[in-house]
Amino acid sequence: MSAKYASRYEAVFLCTHPKGPKMSQSAAAKYTRKSKAFVQKWIQRYKLAKNVDDLPQRGSIGKVDEKDEKRIVNLFSRNPALTLRRGQAKLKSKGLDISYEAIRTHLRAHDLKWRNTMKKPLLTEKHVTKRLAWAHENIAEDFNNVIFTDECSIWARCILTRAWSTSANRLVQRTVKHGIKVHLWGCFSKQGFGTLHLFTYNLNAAKMLQIYKKALLPSAKRWFISKNEDWILQEDNDPKHRSKLCTEWKNQSGIVTFNWPSQSPDANPIENVWAYIKQELRGKRAHTLKQLSCEIRRIWRSLPLEYAVNLVESMPRRCQAIIDADCDWTHY
């Protein structure tokens, strides 16, 4: 018996069977971890039909021809903010009377669902040109000796964008204007994850230089030969990275910097690491800066070597994705 039918028969047995415990519907719902409506439905179905089978044609797509289905898909593709109710009204005004549940079923058949939008900076023509040239130039590049770096900011209270809750008991999340926040600087290569540097001050060129010395160089020495020419530093075009102070120090230290296109966080694999850390922190309470920092360091230390290897090996695919997207944003 499948799990679907087992849960239905279990609800019926707990409440109505002569040899059952004769539970109330509320107690049975709590015991089976189902809703009370679920228990009521299948008890009533069993009383009428002596089984818990689905009704014939349950959930079938409304009977519309191919032309009408295309009209439905085109309407919501052209108007992505259109609600089901308003879309139903528009279709009805044009002679197509169909329920909004059937509309949703047709849209899902074409992978059209109500999803969160992706917010990305606007790419100028200059950005597009440089991204395309960079992708073609580096699609066959060997990234095994590249150290990927970036900065990130994390707040103690990570707000959930979506969560499971009932209409009568909505999840409430308390927010504050100036919450606890910590900044991160991290690096990794195909050899693993390096030193994570946490700070709360405003970053400038002088402090960026200190991070290079305290976190970047010790990580590079663990992974590569002592000569700085044996590895390549990847970082974005932040003014602090390109400042005269940091540029002169890197030149004097023999550190080679990887050419990087502007407005291209989707090409940097460390962005996936920041997203993973934020996801792991969601729903967890950190009341002090120390608690938040300890939790972040724990997550960073738990990152496996295989994760770093997979991220580095994804670089050729990222370059190809940029080319395939005509230099627009990719899903990386």
Side-chain angles (χ1 to χ4, degrees):
M1 182 184 297
S2 66
K4 178 178 70 173
Y5 279 91
S7 60
R8 297 174 184 178
Y9 275 115
E10 184 180 23
V12 174
F13 174 80
L14 292 173
C15 296
T16 64
H17 198 276
K19 295 184 178 180
K22 299 293 182 64
M23 288 184 177
S24 66
Q25 294 181 357
S26 298
K30 185 176 181 180
Y31 181 83
T32 59
R33 297 183 180 181
K34 300 289 185 180
S35 66
K36 185 177 178 180
F38 175 90
V39 177
Q40 291 174 338
K41 173 182 177 180
W42 294 113
I43 289 176
Q44 186 67 21
R45 179 69 54 77
Y46 187 81
K47 288 180 179 179
L48 295 175
K50 300 303 178 183
N51 61 54
V52 290
D53 295 336
D54 292 319
L55 293 177
Q57 303 300 322
R58 176 183 179 273
S60 61
I61 298 179
K63 294 181 179 179
V64 297
D65 55 27
E66 186 176 346
K67 181 180 178 181
D68 288 336
E69 183 174 7
K70 188 175 182 181
R71 287 171 58 191
I72 296 172
V73 174
N74 288 341
L75 175 63
F76 284 88
S77 297
R78 291 194 303 266
N79 305 277
L82 190 65
T83 63
L84 286 172
R85 294 290 187 184
R86 291 178 59 191
Q88 180 190 23
K90 283 181 175 290
L91 292 170
K92 189 174 182 179
S93 66
K94 296 179 181 179
L96 180 57
D97 191 2
I98 184 173
S99 67
Y100 76 90
E101 291 91 348
I103 294 174
R104 179 166 50 197
T105 304
H106 284 288
L107 293 177
R108 286 183 174 178
H110 291 265
D111 196 30
L112 283 174
K113 297 181 181 179
W114 189 261
R115 296 182 171 96
N116 289 335
T117 60
M118 297 176 62
K119 300 173 181 63
K120 300 292 185 180
L122 179 65
L123 292 174
T124 64
E125 190 66 31
K126 184 178 180 181
H127 294 147
V128 169
T129 303
K130 289 190 174 181
R131 277 167 61 87
L132 179 62
W134 178 87
H136 281 293
E137 180 183 352
N138 294 283
I139 192 170
E141 181 72 24
D142 182 11
F143 292 91
N144 292 339
N145 64 335
V146 176
I147 298 180
F148 296 90
T149 68
D150 194 23
E151 300 89 34
C152 172
S153 298
I154 294 181
W155 280 260
R157 292 177 178 265
C158 296
I159 300 300
L160 296 172
T161 55
R162 291 184 177 182
W164 294 106
S165 61
T166 63
S167 58
N169 187 22
R170 297 289 295 277
L171 177 64
V172 177
Q173 297 189 89
R174 307 296 180 181
T175 60
V176 294
K177 285 188 175 180
H178 306 289
I180 300 172
K181 180 176 68 172
V182 65
H183 306 292
L184 286 66
W185 180 96
C187 64
F188 79 93
S189 70
K190 200 170 183 178
Q191 284 70 36
F193 291 90
T195 302
L196 180 67
H197 184 79
L198 276 63
F199 57 97
T200 56
Y201 48 78
N202 293 327
L203 194 59
N204 55 29
K207 290 183 170 61
M208 189 72 243
L209 184 58
Q210 293 301 314
I211 293 177
Y212 287 150
K213 295 178 180 179
K214 293 181 179 180
L216 174 63
L217 289 184
S219 300
K221 288 180 180 178
R222 291 201 306 269
W223 297 329
F224 303 99
I225 305 175
S226 58
K227 294 181 180 180
N228 291 335
E229 293 86 349
D230 296 326
W231 52 274
I232 300 175
L233 171 64
Q234 179 280 327
E235 55 187 1
D236 57 29
N237 295 312
D238 189 289
K240 296 180 287 294
H241 303 155
R242 307 303 178 191
S243 64
K244 184 178 179 180
L245 178 65
C246 292
T247 301
E248 289 182 351
W249 178 83
K250 285 182 281 190
N251 290 336
Q252 293 173 1
S253 302
I255 296 176
V256 179
T257 304
F258 196 81
N259 182 34
W260 199 256
S262 299
Q263 298 286 15
S264 298
D266 54 338
N268 191 349
I270 202 171
E271 294 290 344
N272 297 75
V273 181
W274 300 145
Y276 175 78
I277 293 176
K278 292 177 181 179
Q279 180 64 34
E280 288 294 301
L281 289 172
R282 289 195 182 278
K284 295 184 179 180
R285 298 293 183 182
H287 300 285
T288 65
L289 180 62
K290 183 178 180 180
Q291 290 177 353
L292 178 61
S293 300
C294 290
E295 190 64 26
I296 292 172
R297 292 187 185 279
R298 182 193 65 78
I299 298 172
W300 182 266
R301 288 194 299 268
S302 68
L303 297 175
L305 173 63
E306 292 78 9
Y307 186 34
V309 173
N310 292 338
L311 289 173
V312 174
E313 291 180 348
S314 72
M315 287 304 298
R317 298 193 297 273
R318 292 171 189 265
C319 294
Q320 186 62 53
I322 292 175
I323 297 172
D324 295 340
D326 293 330
C327 303
D328 205 349
W329 290 104
T330 69
H331 288 287
Y332 280 101

